[in-house]
Every structure is written in C-alpha cells, then in structure tokens.
Amino acid sequence: ELPNEALTDWTHMTMALARQRAYWESGTAHGYHVNTFGFLVGEIIRRAARAPSFRRALGDLLTRPLEADFQIGLPPADHPRCARVIGAPSSAGTSPATRSKEIPENRDAEANAMRKAAYFNPPAIAGVGVVNTNWWRSLEIPSTNGHGTARALARIYAAALDASLFPRSLLEEARIPHSDGIDRVLDRPTRFGLGFQLSQPSRRIGPNPAAFGHFGHGGSLGFGDPENGMSFAYVMNRPGERKVRPRSDEVVA
C-alpha cells in the first residue's frame, strides 16, 4: 500500500505500477483499472510527446488546440472557478469500514482485497474525503480527477467524430471491443474498446449501439455518436449514488 504522498510524485506512481505483479494471466480475463489506467496510458503519452509532464502533453496535444476548458492537475489560479462536490464525505475515508462501503464485494476474499487496492491505493486516490481540497485538485491523476466543463468534454468527443483529432481509421480501431464480459474488479459485465466504454444492454452509452464514451462518478457522462454525428456531455457537482444515473439517462433520452 502506498502513502497519499505518492500521489504527488508521478514517477513514484508509474514505477510502482511497473513493478506490480499481474493478478491473472494476460488475455484470460479483464478488470476495470478504476484509478490507475491514467498513469499507465499517461506515462506512454508523456514519453511519446517528450513532455516534462502528462499535464503539459494533454494541453499541447489536445485541450489547447481544441480550446477545451478541461485540465488534469488544476493550477491554483483556477481553483476558485471549481465547483464544490456536494455530499462528498468530509473524512479522508481511509478506515477499512469507510472504504468497504465504496466498493462491490463478493465472497472471494482475494478478489475483495484486489478491489480495495484498485479503488483505494493510495487511500486518497479516488478523492474520497479530499475531492474538494486544493491538494487533490492539483494532482495529476488522469483517469480520476479531470476538471472541466461539459462543453469542453463534448468538444473533445466532437473532434474525435470529425477526424480533426486523429484519423477516422484510428477511431474505428478504438471502438472495436477488446474486453467484453464479467469484469473481475466491478463484478459485473463491462465492454471496452481502447479506453472507451462501449454500449451494452445493461449500460448504454448514448442512444445508438455505435456510440463510444465513458461514465464518471455519480452519473456524469461523455460520448460520441457516429450514427448521428453528435457529441454529448453531462457533468454535475451533486452526484447520484454509485451506479445510479437517472438524470443522465433522462437527458440522453
């Protein structure tokens, strides 16, 4: 288990992941990375872009060219613009009792231990108890603490649809299912392309089967719909319960 201080050290996090043993043989199963996916992909992006940080690569390659008001690692000057998450726990959420309420459990003790590590290693990685602090907002956790507007998120998906962001052939490849079936971390069916969530009967991404995107905490959602040529984003600072998303479902409908 890593201390919360590790979250301030990008190299510490990526090297810890590089040393981590696999929970199962590659290709035999899949599981949602929850918080670590962004470090794994982010380090590849940082190196490919030859950037001093992931934050810099994101701005240079994506958000500034699109004029999208979206950041990972929020600068102090932008903290006053950030809406507080309403209903967020006030404690740091590091006790086993608090953490156990946040994750799915079954009767498999080893699987439960894996889930706790995925959600809460380091303890504050998911933002429980610290989501409204300047410390957490300033961190670079690419799959967890993005800060931005719905318009910015929709603009990014629109750029993916019109091939201004990358070639259309790459989007088609990214939408091919790479993981489909029972997820060993979430303990329910999930379906993923290359980073994008794909529609499935139990959790639709947009109105059409070809849509691609990703859900966020409490019902937030961003997606692109190639069939309609439409992008969509919904974000909020009063999240619903985990897995419950009536407002986003209604807006999509």
Side-chain angles (χ1 to χ4, degrees):
E1 183 169 340
L2 299 176
N4 283 335
E5 290 71 26
L7 290 171
T8 66
D9 187 336
W10 179 272
T11 301
H12 191 140
M13 291 298 298
T14 54
M15 291 302 294
L17 284 165
R19 292 190 297 264
Q20 171 66 35
R21 68 171 178 84
Y23 278 100
W24 54 79
E25 183 182 348
S26 178
T28 62
H30 75 278
Y32 185 43
H33 272 265
V34 188
N35 299 304
T36 55
F37 183 76
F39 287 107
L40 295 169
V41 177
E43 176 65 358
I44 295 171
I45 292 170
R46 187 191 68 78
R47 293 189 187 193
R50 298 181 180 179
S53 65
F54 173 80
R55 177 188 341 212
R56 175 71 176 272
L58 179 71
D60 290 348
L61 298 173
L62 182 68
T63 56
R64 278 194 294 275
L66 295 179
E67 297 183 350
D69 189 6
F70 181 87
Q71 300 179 76
I72 293 173
L74 199 65
D78 287 328
H79 288 184
R81 302 173 54 218
C82 192
R84 290 184 59 82
V85 177
I86 297 170
S90 57
S91 67
T94 57
S95 71
T98 302
R99 284 191 259 180
S100 65
K101 296 178 182 179
E102 298 289 327
I103 61 175
E105 292 218 353
N106 59 21
R107 298 179 183 179
D108 187 333
E110 186 177 354
N112 290 339
M114 175 189 68
R115 292 187 182 99
K116 289 179 181 179
Y119 277 85
F120 296 106
N121 188 18
I125 193 169
V128 177
V130 294
V131 68
N132 289 319
T133 65
N134 289 338
W135 173 77
W136 194 80
R137 291 169 178 167
S138 299
L139 297 172
E140 290 181 66
I141 312 176
S143 51
T144 303
N145 74 338
H147 289 81
T149 66
R151 187 179 299 277
L153 197 57
R155 181 171 290 182
I156 292 169
Y157 278 103
L161 286 173
D162 68 13
S164 63
L165 190 59
F166 44 72
R168 196 170 302 279
S169 59
L170 182 57
L171 177 59
E172 294 304 310
E173 181 182 353
R175 290 174 49 238
I176 295 172
H178 285 71
S179 303
D180 192 356
I182 296 297
D183 188 304
R184 287 199 180 182
V185 174
L186 300 182
D187 203 25
R188 57 179 171 79
T190 59
R191 189 166 177 258
F192 283 92
L194 293 178
F196 295 121
Q197 285 182 327
L198 305 176
S199 279
Q200 56 183 350
S202 60
R203 204 173 202 200
R204 296 173 61 207
I205 297 283
N208 294 303
F212 62 96
H214 212 291
F215 286 99
H217 176 67
S220 59
L221 172 64
F223 68 79
D225 182 354
E227 187 171 328
N228 285 333
M230 181 186 74
S231 64
F232 171 95
Y234 171 69
V235 300
M236 85 295 287
N237 68 321
R238 191 190 294 271
E241 294 180 17
R242 232 178 128 266
K243 297 185 185 178
V244 179
R245 50 192 195 286
R247 282 173 290 171
S248 54
D249 283 350
E250 289 171 4
V251 174
V252 170

